[in-house]
């Protein structure tokens, strides 16, 4: 009897000492969670009002089962509820964190910092608790459960599975529980550590093909808690040539949009990629995030002409070619290896079209401006002589300057010019206005290769259109028939050039980019700010990237001509702040034939 009492007292001392292993982390977990819940209180009449009730309910259940039931009573039947609440507690708090910041009004940075620290303290202490909640370790803390375990489950697991029809419901709930926990765990990993991405488009061809799968490091890019600026510090410094994943700045990135993105991620995983809620106002799936290459870094001003990217800094007045960009920029996909070419769904330009583009660029570079000025004046004078007797007062010179319309409506324009003095005067201005504009902007054009190139392209289009219109008037004056027009060798030659020029204009905003950032009003250069980057896709003819807007507008080819030809442009270059960068691609794991580390940018 005395020996038995001694054994019991020793067991009590051992159990009491073991309980201290979970007592401190238990208190820390619950206190941190309670304080976190108090920080979730909000009184705005929007979705953020739900933050406190959700966190209070989750934390209240945790306090009730973990402290008052499990810890105080030490009863076996409260083990499973306590374990599940421990497993779900960080996800409940994270949901509350998101809701608290999802309303119309944000929260102060210091407020977010305190809340995040409380979440971190809670989750670290909870990890310690879960370590001790392992079935083998928990039995050492509560040896009195051994007898009940053997009785209820014949010495098996602490989790007793019911028999009969209830077993089916139990298994279903068990699978749902595992799925939900896995989804939230994957979500946390994707936010803070790494994420797997499937390449959705051909903007990075030939480096990435559609359905390539890459691993993107998040932890090195300073991941942040959803809807806040609080997170880990940025470790990686981005370099030109790095492939990064970033939020698409073409879409709204307000709190409402961010909430939708997070909810979409959860639903996307819960439905095994079957439901994607990340859509725009038209119901289309957003191109967000984007995978592109860093092409411009802080302190640089860029310009791209004829497919060559140039950069300069405050230490140099001259734009110099960016050699590394030549390595990655893909303009002629006909030249890639057969193995890669088989995986490309769309080759934007055939080899003949690519050669035609180069031909037009060479024509533009070799254009003799002085000779063209003389010919434009001569065409204007010739047309005036031809129409001197036929042009009458009145008439409307409502001609479109859109480049396609100028060529397509050539006959109607010729007939109006022949019959109206107003239209005749318009033709004279159309053919010669650029000459005065060049004289006034000579210095600007000499220092801006993009402006000079577009100015020359405008002149080429005007000269070609002027030749066609002048020839039409000549043939009309001679009373030629429709077949004569169709078979006229001069018109055939002019229309052949017109087709080439129109083709090139269609490629203009993919092939070139104006000086960016744009110079100030005083003409002084401006540079990409610190902490910002400029990105483009490698497949330059098939990439809507940071050069472009998602909408188009009619724009003049040059601002140095009052009668400039226009075209539909989507050119709107912008840089991206590093806070929108989600991570860096560092490994391609699929397809296996092309797996491997992704090359980093220049040093």
């Amino acid at each position: 009897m005395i020996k038995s009492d001694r054994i019991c007292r020793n067991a009590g001392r051992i159990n009491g000492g073991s309980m201290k292993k979970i007592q401190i982390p238990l208190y820390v977990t619950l206190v941190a969670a309670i304080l976190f819940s108090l920080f979730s209180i909000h009184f705005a009449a929007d979705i953020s009002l739900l933050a406190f009730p959700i966190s209070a309910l989750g934390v209240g259940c945790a306090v009730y089962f973990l402290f008052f039931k499990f810890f105080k009573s030490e009863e076996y039947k409260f083990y499973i509820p306590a374990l599940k609440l421990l497993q779900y507690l960080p996800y409940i708090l994270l949901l509350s964190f998101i809701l608290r910041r999802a309303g119309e009004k944000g929260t102060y940075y210091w407020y977010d910092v305190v809340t995040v620290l409380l979440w971190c303290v809670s989750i670290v202490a909870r990890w310690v608790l879960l370590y001790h909640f392992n079935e083998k370790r928990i039995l050492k803390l509560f040896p009195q459960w051994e007898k009940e375990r053997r009785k209820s489950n014949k010495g098996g697991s602490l989790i007793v599975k019911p028999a009969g029809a209830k077993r089916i419901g139990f298994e279903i709930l068990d699978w749902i529980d595992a799925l939900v926990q896995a989804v939230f765990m994957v979500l946390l990993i994707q936010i803070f550590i790494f994420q797997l991405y499937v390449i959705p488009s051909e903007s990075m061809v030939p480096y990435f093909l559609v359905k390539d799968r890459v691993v993107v490091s998040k932890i090195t890019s300073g991941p942040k808690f959803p809807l806040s600026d609080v997170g880990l510090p940025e470790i990686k410094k981005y370099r030109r040539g790095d492939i990064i994943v970033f939020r698409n700045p073409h879409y709204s990135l307000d709190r409402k949009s961010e909430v939708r993105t997070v909810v979409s991620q959860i639903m996307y995983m819960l439905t095994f990629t079957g439901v994607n809620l990340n859509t725009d106002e038209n119901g289309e799936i957003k191109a967000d995030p984007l995978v592109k290459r860093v092409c411009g870094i802080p302190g640089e001003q860029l310009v791209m002409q004829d497919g060559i990217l140039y950069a300069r800094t405050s230490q140099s007045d001259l734009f110099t070619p960016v050699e590394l960009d030549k390595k990655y920029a893909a303009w002629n996909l006909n030249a890639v290896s057969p193995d890669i070419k088989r995986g490309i769904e769309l080759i934007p330009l055939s080899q003949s079209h690519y050669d035609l583009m180069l031909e037009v660029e060479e024509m533009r570079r070799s254009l003799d401006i002085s000779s063209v000025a003389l010919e434009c004046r001569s065409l204007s004078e010739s047309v005036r002589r031809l129409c001197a007797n036929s042009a009458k007062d009145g008439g409307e010179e409502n001609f479109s300057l859109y480049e396609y319309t100028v060529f397509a409506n050539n006959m109607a324009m010729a007939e109006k010019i022949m019959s109206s003095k107003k239209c005749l005067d318009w033709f004279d201005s159309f053919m010669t206005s650029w000459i005065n504009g060049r004289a006034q902007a000579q210095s600007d054009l000499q220092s801006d290769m993009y402006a000079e190139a577009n100015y020359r392209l405008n002149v080429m289009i005007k000269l070609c259109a002027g030749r066609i219109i002048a020839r039409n008037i000549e043939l009309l004056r001679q009373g030629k028939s429709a077949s004569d027009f169709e078979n006229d060798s001069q018109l055939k030659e002019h229309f052949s050039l017109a087709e080439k020029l129109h083709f090139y204009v269609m490629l203009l905003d993919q092939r070139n980019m104006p000086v960016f950032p744009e110079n100030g009003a005083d003409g002084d250069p401006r540079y990409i700010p610190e902490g910002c980057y400029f990105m483009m896709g490698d497949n330059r003819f098939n990439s809507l990237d940071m050069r472009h807007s998602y909408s188009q507008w009619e724009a003049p080819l040059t601002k140095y001509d009052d009668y400039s030809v226009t075209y539909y442009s989507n050119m709107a270059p912008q840089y991206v702040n590093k806070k929108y960068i989600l991570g860096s691609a560092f490994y391609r794991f699929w397809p296996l034939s092309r797996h491997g580390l992704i090359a980093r940018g220049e040093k």
Side-chain angles (χ1 to χ4, degrees):
M1 183 69 178
I2 295 173
K3 183 177 180 181
S4 176
D5 290 342
R6 188 181 301 116
I7 292 173
C8 290
R9 287 195 298 272
N10 289 339
R13 284 196 295 271
I14 293 172
N15 189 38
S18 300
M19 283 296 289
K20 292 181 180 179
K21 294 180 180 179
I22 67 170
Q23 184 176 3
I24 294 177
L26 176 64
Y27 286 159
V28 172
T29 300
L30 295 180
V31 170
I34 291 170
L35 292 174
F36 182 100
S37 184
L38 293 176
F39 270 81
S40 299
I41 296 176
H42 198 48
F43 300 102
D46 54 36
I47 194 172
S48 58
L49 196 63
L50 297 175
F52 177 69
I54 288 176
S55 62
L57 179 61
V59 173
C61 291
V63 171
Y64 177 76
F65 280 101
L66 279 165
F67 185 76
F68 291 105
K69 292 299 183 182
F70 172 77
F71 184 73
K72 287 294 186 181
S73 68
E74 300 182 10
E75 292 186 38
Y76 166 69
K77 63 182 179 180
F78 295 117
Y79 167 69
I80 298 302
L83 175 64
K84 292 302 175 184
L85 282 166
L86 270 181
Q87 291 172 341
Y88 278 97
L89 185 60
Y91 311 134
I92 295 171
L93 298 183
L94 183 61
L95 177 60
S96 173
F97 182 91
I98 294 171
L99 289 172
R100 176 65 178 81
R101 285 142 191 82
E104 294 296 327
K105 297 182 179 179
T107 51
Y108 293 111
Y109 179 77
W110 69 266
Y111 200 94
D112 289 342
V113 170
V114 173
T115 315
V116 167
L117 288 176
L118 289 172
W119 186 86
C120 291
V121 169
S122 177
I123 197 172
V124 170
R126 168 250 193 194
W127 281 337
V128 176
L129 279 176
L130 286 177
Y131 173 81
H132 291 291
F133 263 60
N134 175 273
E135 290 192 15
K136 292 182 179 179
R137 298 186 186 94
I138 202 72
L139 286 174
K140 292 181 181 179
L141 295 178
F142 302 102
Q144 68 271 26
W145 290 1
E146 182 65 32
K147 181 178 179 180
E148 189 171 353
R149 179 175 72 100
R150 292 181 181 277
K151 179 180 177 181
S152 61
N153 207 23
K154 298 181 180 180
S157 171
L158 284 171
I159 301 176
V160 181
K161 297 183 178 181
K166 293 182 178 180
R167 179 67 173 266
I168 299 175
F170 178 87
E171 292 293 347
I172 293 174
L173 290 175
D174 193 44
W175 274 98
I176 293 174
D177 169 58
L179 175 63
V180 172
Q181 289 201 53
V183 165
F184 278 101
M185 180 56 69
V186 170
L187 182 64
L188 288 176
I189 292 173
Q190 289 183 348
I191 291 174
F192 295 107
I193 303 176
F194 68 87
Q195 189 166 357
L196 308 181
Y197 281 95
V198 179
I199 302 300
S201 71
E202 295 198 314
S203 69
M204 289 297 291
V205 165
Y207 199 88
F208 288 142
L209 302 181
V210 173
K211 296 184 180 179
D212 278 8
R213 287 163 169 79
V214 298
V215 182
V216 173
S217 171
K218 294 289 194 71
I219 196 167
T220 57
S221 298
K224 302 294 186 287
F225 276 74
L227 307 180
S228 80
D229 293 325
V230 181
L232 299 177
E234 177 190 339
I235 300 174
K236 180 180 176 62
K237 297 297 181 183
Y238 304 104
R239 305 182 300 199
R240 194 194 323 273
D242 285 346
I243 296 176
I244 62 172
V245 176
F246 60 99
R247 299 301 308 277
N248 189 342
H250 293 102
Y251 299 117
S252 173
L253 297 177
D254 56 16
R255 285 189 298 276
K256 182 178 180 180
S257 174
E258 295 298 280
V259 171
R260 189 178 183 88
T261 298
V262 172
V263 172
S264 175
Q265 285 181 301
I266 296 173
M267 288 298 298
Y268 193 69
M269 289 183 287
L270 281 173
T271 59
F272 301 101
T273 71
V275 177
N276 191 341
L277 300 178
N278 196 23
T279 57
D280 59 20
E281 61 274 9
N282 298 318
E284 299 292 331
I285 301 297
K286 289 183 178 180
D288 184 36
L290 297 176
V291 180
K292 306 293 179 186
R293 194 181 296 276
V294 174
C295 298
I297 57 178
E300 288 185 332
Q301 188 179 47
L302 307 171
V303 66
M304 187 163 66
Q305 187 58 50
D306 296 347
I308 300 175
L309 183 67
Y310 299 83
R312 70 177 176 183
T313 65
S314 58
Q315 283 74 43
S316 173
D317 291 333
L318 298 177
F319 282 105
T320 57
V322 178
E323 296 300 326
L324 186 67
D325 192 69
K326 296 179 183 179
K327 176 181 177 182
Y328 295 117
W331 296 104
N332 185 13
L333 295 181
N334 301 280
V336 302
S337 68
D339 289 341
I340 296 296
K341 195 172 182 179
R342 280 193 293 269
I344 299 175
E345 298 176 2
L346 174 65
I347 296 181
L349 298 183
S350 65
Q351 185 63 51
S352 60
H353 282 147
Y354 183 77
D355 293 339
L356 175 58
M357 176 193 71
L358 297 182
E359 178 188 344
V360 174
E361 289 177 344
E362 181 56 35
M363 290 167 55
R364 188 204 65 230
R365 287 191 292 267
S366 60
L367 187 70
D368 186 337
I369 292 293
S370 299
S371 297
V372 174
L374 291 175
E375 184 174 357
C376 284
R377 284 197 175 101
S378 175
L379 284 170
S380 177
E381 293 169 359
S382 174
V383 167
R384 187 170 289 280
R385 285 195 302 270
L386 288 170
C387 302
N389 296 326
S390 60
K392 307 298 181 182
D393 293 335
E396 292 296 330
E397 29 82 31
N398 55 343
F399 297 120
S400 169
L401 289 171
Y402 176 49
E403 112 2 84
Y404 175 80
T405 305
V406 168
F407 289 129
N409 292 347
N410 63 90
M411 182 57 74
M413 293 175 71
E415 292 173 345
K416 285 187 176 182
I417 291 169
M418 288 181 65
S419 61
S420 168
K421 288 183 179 180
K422 270 192 174 182
C423 295
L424 186 59
D425 291 340
W426 178 91
F427 182 74
D428 179 69
S429 298
F430 176 76
M431 295 302 298
T432 61
S433 61
W434 63 269
I435 301 173
N436 295 330
R438 183 170 187 83
Q440 296 171 3
Q442 190 70 32
S443 60
D444 290 347
L445 293 172
Q446 287 178 345
S447 61
D448 187 338
M449 65 181 76
Y450 176 87
E452 169 69 13
N454 278 13
Y455 183 90
R456 285 171 168 262
L457 182 60
N458 173 63
V459 171
M460 292 171 69
I461 292 172
K462 287 191 164 194
L463 177 60
C464 184
R467 288 170 174 172
I468 293 173
I469 292 171
R471 183 58 178 165
N472 282 340
I473 292 174
E474 284 183 25
L475 296 177
L476 287 170
R477 293 287 296 172
Q478 296 171 14
K480 297 294 183 179
S481 65
S483 61
D484 292 326
F485 279 84
E486 291 176 4
N487 296 321
D488 186 76
S489 60
Q490 291 185 42
L491 282 178
K492 286 182 177 180
E493 181 181 349
H494 299 332
F495 280 123
S496 176
L497 177 58
E499 290 177 358
K500 294 177 181 180
L501 293 173
H502 173 66
F503 170 75
Y504 188 79
V505 170
M506 298 294 289
L507 303 177
L508 192 62
D509 282 2
Q510 279 68 44
R511 182 66 167 166
N512 310 292
M513 182 181 74
V515 172
F516 174 76
E518 187 179 5
N519 290 335
D522 55 2
D524 290 340
R526 294 186 294 183
Y527 306 96
I528 298 174
E530 192 64 34
C532 297
Y533 300 86
F534 177 76
M535 276 73 76
M536 289 190 287
D538 290 351
N539 188 5
R540 299 287 161 84
F541 282 130
N542 192 15
S543 175
L544 278 175
D545 46 45
M546 294 306 98
R547 294 172 291 170
H548 306 122
S549 167
Y550 282 4
S551 58
Q552 288 188 325
W553 54 90
E554 191 172 348
L557 271 176
T558 176
K559 64 181 181 180
Y560 301 113
D561 179 3
D562 293 337
Y563 287 78
S564 171
V565 171
T566 63
Y567 75 112
Y568 278 98
S569 172
N570 65 345
M571 182 63 70
Q574 61 178 308
Y575 43 74
V576 177
N577 192 290
K578 66 180 180 180
K579 71 178 181 179
Y580 296 122
I581 297 177
L582 302 178
S584 306
F586 72 91
Y587 189 81
R588 173 171 38 208
F589 65 92
W590 188 266
L592 295 178
S593 59
R594 293 187 291 112
H595 78 93
L597 292 173
I598 295 171
R600 296 193 64 189
E602 65 181 2
K603 295 182 179 179

